[in-house]
Amino acid sequence: MKLTVIGGGGVRSVFLARSLVQYAKELQLDHIVFMDNNEEKLRIFGEMARQTALRLQPDLRFELTSDPVEAVWDASYIITTIRVGEDEKRVDDERIALQHGVLGQETTGAAGFSFALRSVPALQSYCELVKRYAAAGAKVFNFTNPAGVVSQTLRDMGYDFTYGICDAPSSLLQSIAKLYQIEGDDITAHCYGLNHLSFFDSIRFQGKEMLQTLLEDDRMYQKTDMRFFDKTLAKEMGCLLNEYLYYFFYREKAVENIQKAGQTRGEWIRYVNQEMRKELAQKDIAKDFEDCLKIYEHWHGLRSDQYMKNETGVDTSEKFHFDVYEKDDGGYAGVALQYIRAEQTKSATDMILCVPNQGAVPELLDSDVVEISCHIEGGSCTPVPVKEAGRIPLELIRRVKLYERYASEAIRTKSRRAAVKCLFVHPLVNSWSLAEQLTDAYLASNKDYIEGWK
């Protein structure tokens, strides 16, 4: 069975290859393809992924290609993780927002909308190829940001074989398991909301409800991504919080911290990636793989150690390391792998996905894509209903979902009017005049990637 990664020349491809190959035999994956339209990145990071696969399972058919048709041909599963416009456009997105006094963050708010303007048309073309050339019943797991807007728009376009995935919720659960020294399988949880805007209203250890215990545990605010939040705030919400909620709950602090830092996250990533590529480009990846891994670990460590630091002023709790042979939790690939496992073994499982609401979150449309705990069984994916949504979380979810609906409409119909409305209602913009200015700035910035807007 074939699995394809579109965007396989990305910096995180080495992680992705390790995860996929470690579980390939269990999941009957005998053919993996990494595709990227940037041949230089594919030559460097794609080849590092291939060398990782060779060391873990040398008999696995692992290929690299820049041909999208070849990539999706007869594939049963496709993971999309693309960055249209590369790091340069990420920098532009964030800087344009900051110039207007609005949060510059690549998935949240105005900058995220600009990213979606470029992401969706490219993903639409890949989805059309999937329909035409992939195996019957093929599924697409989209990790391309902003996953909320992208997933909503793709579903609105009729691509009901697409599922949004994100590693933020699972990463929080894994950090809790590590903190309490228990197995990850011993934790069950209920999550609801939107991508990068989700809330955990239940956490169970072997069936025992632990939410209140976790909210009271000071270590949670030191050793997990709850470190970005005040304990008082978390207790007031009555939930564990997705790390990206920091940007909503501490909006002015985030903008102020970025301005003081003098460097956006995108600018730091661009620098790290450029320097890493310069060093790796001088190496023969196959012959000098161990040296390449050291270079990769150094630069990716700098990237990882700075995660959300400029925005929050908070250091990460752990230093980065990478071992090809170390068993991992799968990261964002783990979400896709969990779904594949359930489908292949025909066993029931619960997992967090971005899927249509189907009545699970109150006061939202059935067609609204939400990030929520789902029950997977017998080929069906059913969102687990929220028992009692908090009023403040629900109000924030409703408001941002309205933004995502208008964003989807704007991208599908190429409507400036809908784009202005989407940014106007977003709580991180919340101004008609700013929405007009940002819309025009982003349409101009993305003119080489979009056409036909009115």
Side-chain angles (χ1 to χ4, degrees), residues 82-151:
I82 64 174
R83 180 171 292 281
V84 181
E86 308 283 355
D87 294 333
E88 292 298 330
K89 293 310 298 179
R90 175 178 185 171
V91 170
D92 290 346
D93 292 344
E94 294 176 347
R95 276 295 168 193
I96 287 171
L98 288 170
Q99 288 164 9
H100 290 81
V102 174
L103 176 71
Q105 201 284 326
E106 72 154 350
T107 65
T108 304
F113 176 66
S114 182
F115 193 8
L117 289 178
R118 300 188 301 276
S119 298
V120 171
L123 289 169
Q124 181 183 13
S125 67
Y126 288 125
C127 284
E128 286 299 315
L129 293 179
V130 169
K131 286 171 61 177
R132 186 171 180 180
Y133 298 112
K139 290 181 173 60
V140 173
F141 300 100
N142 176 63
F143 188 66
T144 302
N145 276 320
V149 172
V150 168
S151 298

Side-chain angles (χ1 to χ4, degrees), residues 112-230:
F113 176 66
S114 182
F115 193 8
L117 289 178
R118 300 188 301 276
S119 298
V120 171
L123 289 169
Q124 181 183 13
S125 67
Y126 288 125
C127 284
E128 286 299 315
L129 293 179
V130 169
K131 286 171 61 177
R132 186 171 180 180
Y133 298 112
K139 290 181 173 60
V140 173
F141 300 100
N142 176 63
F143 188 66
T144 302
N145 276 320
V149 172
V150 168
S151 298
Q152 183 68 61
T153 310
L154 291 177
R155 284 280 180 159
D156 289 343
M157 288 175 164
Y159 302 119
D160 58 0
F161 49 82
T162 59
Y163 298 82
I165 58 176
C166 183
D167 55 350
S170 57
S171 293
L172 178 58
L173 295 179
Q174 289 152 12
S175 67
I176 294 171
K178 184 174 182 179
L179 179 64
Y180 279 81
Q181 298 183 327
I182 61 177
E183 295 296 324
D185 291 343
D186 290 336
I187 297 182
T188 56
H190 185 261
C191 171
Y192 73 96
L194 308 176
N195 178 245
H196 288 179
L197 194 90
S198 54
F199 303 82
F200 285 93
D201 59 355
S202 175
I203 304 283
R204 294 177 179 269
F205 291 2
Q206 294 183 328
K208 180 183 178 182
E209 182 58 63
M210 294 289 292
L211 179 61
Q212 292 307 315
T213 299
L214 297 175
L215 287 170
E216 292 288 351
D217 189 342
D218 289 338
R219 297 177 303 162
M220 287 288 295
Y221 306 92
Q222 301 164 0
K223 302 293 186 181
T224 77
D225 285 339
M226 289 295 290
R227 67 185 182 274
F228 301 127
F229 305 99
D230 296 326

Side-chain angles (χ1 to χ4, degrees), residues 21 58 65 70 134 165 170 188 199 244 306 329 364 384 393 420 428-429:
V21 175
T65 184
E70 178 185 343
I165 58 176
S170 57
T188 56
F199 303 82
Y244 282 83
Q306 287 288 322
D329 52 43
L364 295 186
V384 179
V420 172
L428 297 181
V429 179

Side-chain angles (χ1 to χ4, degrees), residues 283-298:
K283 298 288 185 179
D284 183 316
I285 304 296
K287 292 181 180 179
D288 304 325
F289 186 60
E290 296 304 320
D291 287 342
C292 291
L293 281 178
K294 291 176 183 177
I295 294 169
Y296 180 82
E297 186 172 48
H298 168 72

